Amino acid sequence: MVAAAAAARGIFCAGVVQTEKGIGGWEWSGDFCERTRSKSKMANSRYEYVKSFEVEDEVFMPNLIVVRIDGRDFQRWYLIRFSQVHEFEKPNDERALNLMNSCAVAMLEEYPDIVFSYGYSDEYSFVFKKTTKFYQRRASKILSLTASFFTSMYVTKWKEFFPQEKLRYAPSFHSRVISCASIEVLQTYLAWRQNDCHTNNQYSTCLWMLIKSGKTEKEAEEILKGTQKQDKNELLFQQFGINYKNLPELFRRGSCVFKTEVEDIVKYHEDGTPVKRLRRKPRIVHSENIAGRNFWSEHPCLLKELGCFEENVSKIKPDYVRSFLFENKLMPCAWIVIRIDGCHFHRFSEVHEFEKPNDEKALNLMNSCAVAVLEEFQDITFAYGVSDEYSFVLKKGSPFFQRRARFALSFQYNFLQFQHFHYNLCSEIVSVIVSFFTSMYVLKWKEFFPQNDLKYPPSFDGRAVCYPSSDIIRDYLSWRQVDCHINNQYNTCFWMLVKSGKSKSEAQGCLKGTQAPEKNELLLQKFSINYNKLPVMFRQGSSIFRIETGKTTTFENGEKLQNEVIVSHCNIIEQSFWRTHPNILDKEPPIT
Ligand SMILES: Nc1nc2c(ncn2[C@@H]2O[C@H](COP(=O)(O)OP(=O)(O)OP(=O)(O)O)[C@@H](O)[C@H]2O)c(=O)[nH]1
Ligand SMILES: [Mg+2]
Ligand SMILES: [Mg+2]
């Protein structure tokens, strides 16, 4: 396969690979209204074999699916804390918690398969109904979409909860799937999370009271070392006159959101009497024991969609907790691609009136978000984007800690630029990239569409695929560029025909079975369009990578060449591109 691909590269001309079969050796696999609306979606080219590296990650029945999202760097003290930068009140900021709750309500409104959720601090767990078929139960799709939609809501709703406070940088969340083999396991999971809420809240209440009373953080930590629950309650009462039980339920118990039936007035009769209907609406509840039999049995919808709790949880079994902490790892020493794709962007582009078939502003917005991703994550060496998708290539894996150490030595910009992934943790990498990208998309929207409001929050899904060699990673990228070309050529013809008065099905008929040269001919003859003169971004997609600026920065222990992230619209199938930029796939950036 690789040899075949290399042969195709050899006969590449003027930006388009021409073979007997067409562009990039692709063969037409079907005729559809718009190419990107096709059932198979991806073009059928000789590079298509790269799809065989994708692995299935279905969460099989009867496992219950829980997705937990967690704010990235909201707390970890060694990085700039999101909560500190935005001056959250200590230990609990009611506005921040209400914002989290409001996003959780939006989640339940958007995804009917989520039947229960529980959250405190910067985390939220979403429980899907036992029969869910959401995204064919594929773990990475579910976890990425959940993190993305939540992030989108968080950024969108920020102003509502923090009217005085500007978002200083893009918040993002990581997420993971916890699969619970039975309702008993789910019950333990919920008990575990609520127990954590209680323990953390009690600890941080004591800690911050001590700090506010004049102790240093270190002194306060020392005082609390080894204390039991009862000791902490005593400390609060004796020293600060605080009865822990009287603190707000929101802080002590966390919040759950689930749907209950409420009577809604839908309209009024002529005589003024209301017409009421029962509606299922998400409700926020602060229950003392969310894993208790009593609480669960009070809510028929939870019993129906998830099952009933046989007994109360007497002890949180450590073996169960181990399973909650388990995460899938990606293959070591492989190139990793994270491909993200806009969720239902066909609708999104219609609602936001994107130009057809290509909207320059929308593509530039995607590119700008991808640049931000490369600036944030040094481990990403290359990105390629087209339409509503972006592929991010992570450097062939060296161990996470080694990388951290190396970059710590050459510390050059601000801290934010030196965040790395817990290397092989699949859900961590996928969710963080998708979430950060989404955050950027919402934040940057006005910069690219100053006249148009975002009508609803966009979301993206993502997946990770490992490729063992740089030849194959190049074939992967070639596959995406061939796809870009095929879609663009088809869509350009299709929309020109439609704009000239043909119906969509007539346009489809005209293009049925046509090959690349015929489409170019059609554009030239009928519309005087030279396909190769169309904007290069539409024809070749966008590639993003770092180049050296030629400048250096001096540190105590040496010098480092500066680099910058650039967007380029070039042919990445050709050998010449990779020869000109050997750093991207072949060697690590030089550090002296
Ligand atoms: N008009 C216009 N539409 C675009 C543009 N970029 C992306 N789109 C739309 O986004 C869609 C992207 O294709 P897909 O990702 O396959 O479809 P989707 O609707 O996002 O569906 P899922 O990805 O399965 O959720 C295209 O079919 C277009 O309808 C653009 O620049 N202009
Ligand atoms: Mg899409
Ligand atoms: Mg797409």
Side-chain angles (χ1 to χ4, degrees):
M1 290 294 191
V2 181
R9 283 181 209 125
I11 45 171
F12 200 94
C13 59
V16 179
V17 182
Q18 297 285 356
T19 70
E20 314 74 60
K21 282 181 179 148
I23 298 139
W26 63 277
E27 288 166 57
W28 188 239
S29 58
D31 295 287
F32 302 96
C33 178
E34 291 166 71
R35 265 290 304 152
T36 50
R37 300 293 300 150
S38 71
K39 280 187 215 124
S40 68
K41 285 198 181 177
M42 308 272 179
N44 200 3
S45 73
R46 65 178 57 208
Y47 303 111
E48 215 189 45
Y49 79 95
V50 295
K51 271 166 80 175
S52 62
F53 289 88
E54 296 177 3
V55 288
E56 291 303 319
D57 60 353
E58 181 178 337
V59 181
F60 290 106
M61 297 259 200
N63 287 286
L64 292 162
I65 298 173
V66 179
V67 179
R68 183 168 78 247
I69 61 144
D70 198 340
R72 176 173 152 255
D73 309 328
F74 274 50
Q75 317 270 341
R76 277 175 270 161
W77 70 268
Y78 54 86
L79 296 167
I80 298 173
R81 292 184 211 172
F82 183 81
S83 51
Q84 206 169 49
V85 169
H86 293 95
E87 292 167 12
F88 282 9
E89 274 171 37
K90 303 280 188 304
N92 289 291
D93 189 308
E94 216 171 314
R95 299 163 303 171
L97 293 172
N98 287 333
L99 169 57
M100 290 290 289
N101 288 347
S102 174
C103 295
V105 168
M107 290 283 292
L108 268 84
E109 277 164 352
E110 181 78 7
Y111 304 114
D113 280 13
I114 301 176
V115 285
F116 185 76
S117 66
Y118 173 73
Y120 75 93
S121 181
D122 65 341
E123 73 161 64
Y124 240 101
S125 299
F126 297 96
V127 186
F128 287 74
K129 66 178 182 186
K130 61 184 173 199
T131 54
T132 187
K133 293 268 165 49
F134 190 56
Y135 271 79
Q136 293 91 46
R137 302 178 67 95
R138 282 142 78 196
S140 35
K141 291 273 181 180
I142 296 175
L143 73 89
S144 56
L145 194 61
T146 306
S148 176
F149 186 78
F150 196 94
T151 310
S152 212
M153 290 309 306
Y154 196 94
V155 179
T156 307
K157 284 173 176 277
W158 175 266
K159 267 262 154 284
E160 209 181 294
F161 293 85
F162 291 89
Q164 317 294 345
E165 195 76 48
K166 212 172 135 39
L167 257 181
R168 310 248 184 96
Y169 64 89
S172 52
F173 292 83
H174 44 106
S175 60
R176 57 160 70 196
V177 163
I178 296 104
S179 86
C180 296
S182 67
I183 182 80
E184 187 214 343
V185 181
L186 173 67
Q187 187 186 15
T188 311
Y189 175 80
L190 295 174
W192 178 57
R193 290 330 297 147
Q194 196 169 33
N195 191 42
D196 230 46
C197 163
H198 174 70
T199 316
N200 283 342
N201 185 55
Q202 209 191 23
Y203 182 88
S204 49
T205 308
C206 292
L207 186 86
W208 285 102
M209 284 314 296
L210 287 166
I211 292 171
K212 281 176 191 166
S213 76
K215 300 264 183 283
T216 65
E217 201 162 329
K218 234 184 159 153
E219 286 166 347
E221 279 169 3
E222 207 51 47
I223 293 170
L224 293 175
K225 217 179 214 170
T227 53
Q228 301 297 308
K229 278 183 188 171
Q230 195 51 38
D231 307 328
K232 290 196 197 80
N233 277 350
E234 281 295 311
L235 183 146
L236 285 176
F237 195 69
Q238 303 289 343
Q239 287 203 32
F240 307 108
I242 292 175
N243 183 344
Y244 184 76
K245 291 219 159 70
N246 291 343
L247 292 178
E249 288 179 326
L250 171 71
F251 303 165
R252 285 185 295 117
R253 298 174 170 175
S255 310
C256 30
V257 179
F258 54 95
K259 283 187 182 160
T260 51
E261 283 194 332
V262 287
E263 215 171 30
D264 241 10
I265 297 171
V266 282
K267 59 177 181 183
Y268 290 89
H269 288 299
E270 270 172 19
D271 63 2
T273 52
V275 179
K276 293 179 182 172
R277 227 162 260 147
L278 275 181
R279 285 240 173 102
R280 295 187 68 212
K281 275 195 167 170
R283 202 175 115 200
I284 302 170
V285 174
H286 312 290
S287 165
E288 192 174 354
N289 183 7
I290 56 164
R293 278 191 70 201
N294 286 349
F295 168 71
W296 212 249
S297 8
E298 273 167 25
H299 302 291
C301 72
L302 299 181
L303 295 175
K304 180 169 164 258
E305 306 289 8
L306 294 166
C308 71
F309 297 157
E310 297 289 335
E311 297 167 11
N312 280 328
V313 180
S314 52
K315 181 175 174 285
I316 296 173
K317 296 183 180 141
D319 279 350
Y320 286 10
V321 175
R322 271 186 61 215
S323 81
F324 304 147
L325 296 172
F326 172 80
E327 259 202 85
N328 268 332
K329 286 191 176 155
L330 291 165
M331 192 197 299
C333 301
W335 292 95
I336 300 168
V337 171
I338 310 295
R339 187 172 66 241
I340 71 168
D341 188 281
C343 180
H344 304 317
F345 258 50
H346 186 68
R347 177 171 163 241
F348 186 83
S349 57
E350 296 272 351
V351 170
H352 293 91
E353 294 167 1
F354 285 4
E355 273 173 40
K356 290 175 197 308
N358 291 292
D359 188 303
E360 207 173 323
K361 287 177 290 184
L363 294 173
N364 283 331
L365 168 57
M366 290 289 289
N367 293 346
S368 175
C369 296
V371 167
V373 171
L374 260 83
E375 283 169 349
E376 177 89 349
F377 303 108
Q378 295 290 314
D379 287 341
I380 299 172
T381 179
F382 188 78
Y384 177 74
V386 44
S387 178
D388 67 340
E389 74 165 58
Y390 244 101
S391 297
F392 295 97
V393 181
L394 275 93
K395 261 196 184 302
K396 198 166 166 142
S398 58
F400 171 64
F401 285 109
Q402 269 181 29
R403 288 172 164 258
R404 255 195 91 74
R406 202 197 70 189
F407 279 108
L409 273 178
S410 61
F411 184 85
Q412 90 167 306
Y413 306 115
N414 64 44
F415 237 144
L416 277 179
Q417 287 185 301
F418 287 92
Q419 293 174 15
H420 294 270
F421 302 110
H422 296 286
Y423 219 66
N424 294 324
L425 297 181
C426 179
S427 43
E428 160 101 10
I429 298 176
V430 175
S431 58
V432 165
I433 292 180
V434 172
S435 172
F436 185 78
F437 190 94
T438 312
S439 211
M440 279 294 170
Y441 197 95
V442 180
L443 284 172
K444 283 174 177 276
W445 174 267
K446 272 273 162 230
E447 205 182 296
F448 291 85
F449 292 94
Q451 316 297 343
N452 301 12
D453 284 337
L454 253 183
K455 305 243 166 62
Y456 64 89
S459 52
F460 295 82
D461 66 55
R463 65 179 310 163
V465 187
C466 295
Y467 299 98
S469 72
S470 37
D471 275 342
I472 301 177
I473 195 84
R474 276 187 52 195
D475 282 351
Y476 168 82
L477 293 167
S478 301
W479 175 49
R480 298 320 304 131
Q481 194 165 43
V482 168
D483 210 50
C484 160
H485 183 80
I486 293 172
N487 287 335
N488 186 54
Q489 204 188 31
Y490 187 93
N491 291 341
T492 308
C493 294
F494 178 84
W495 286 110
M496 284 314 297
L497 288 166
V498 171
K499 281 174 195 168
S500 75
K502 293 228 180 311
S503 72
K504 286 184 179 176
S505 63
E506 282 168 349
Q508 202 181 345
C510 285
L511 295 171
K512 196 171 181 163
T514 54
Q515 298 287 313
E518 291 161 78
K519 288 199 195 72
N520 278 352
E521 206 48 37
L522 182 143
L523 285 174
L524 199 60
Q525 298 302 331
K526 274 197 125 147
F527 306 109
S528 307
I529 291 175
N530 180 345
Y531 183 79
N532 288 325
K533 293 268 160 66
L534 289 178
V536 65
M537 174 163 72
F538 301 168
R539 289 183 289 116
Q540 302 207 328
S542 304
S543 298
I544 299 185
F545 47 93
R546 294 182 186 82
I547 54 160
E548 283 159 6
T549 57
K551 294 181 195 147
T552 54
T553 313
T554 312
F555 301 95
E556 274 174 25
N557 51 357
E559 286 195 326
K560 188 182 186 310
L561 284 170
Q562 285 180 3
N563 56 38
E564 65 174 329
V565 178
I566 61 153
V567 184
S568 164
H569 313 291
C570 48
N571 181 333
I572 54 170
I573 304 174
E574 258 185 351
Q575 183 79 25
S576 62
F577 172 80
W578 302 101
R579 275 208 208 102
T580 317
H581 304 284
N583 286 353
I584 298 173
L585 293 185
D586 299 339
K587 63 179 171 100
E588 302 269 305
I591 293 172
T592 50

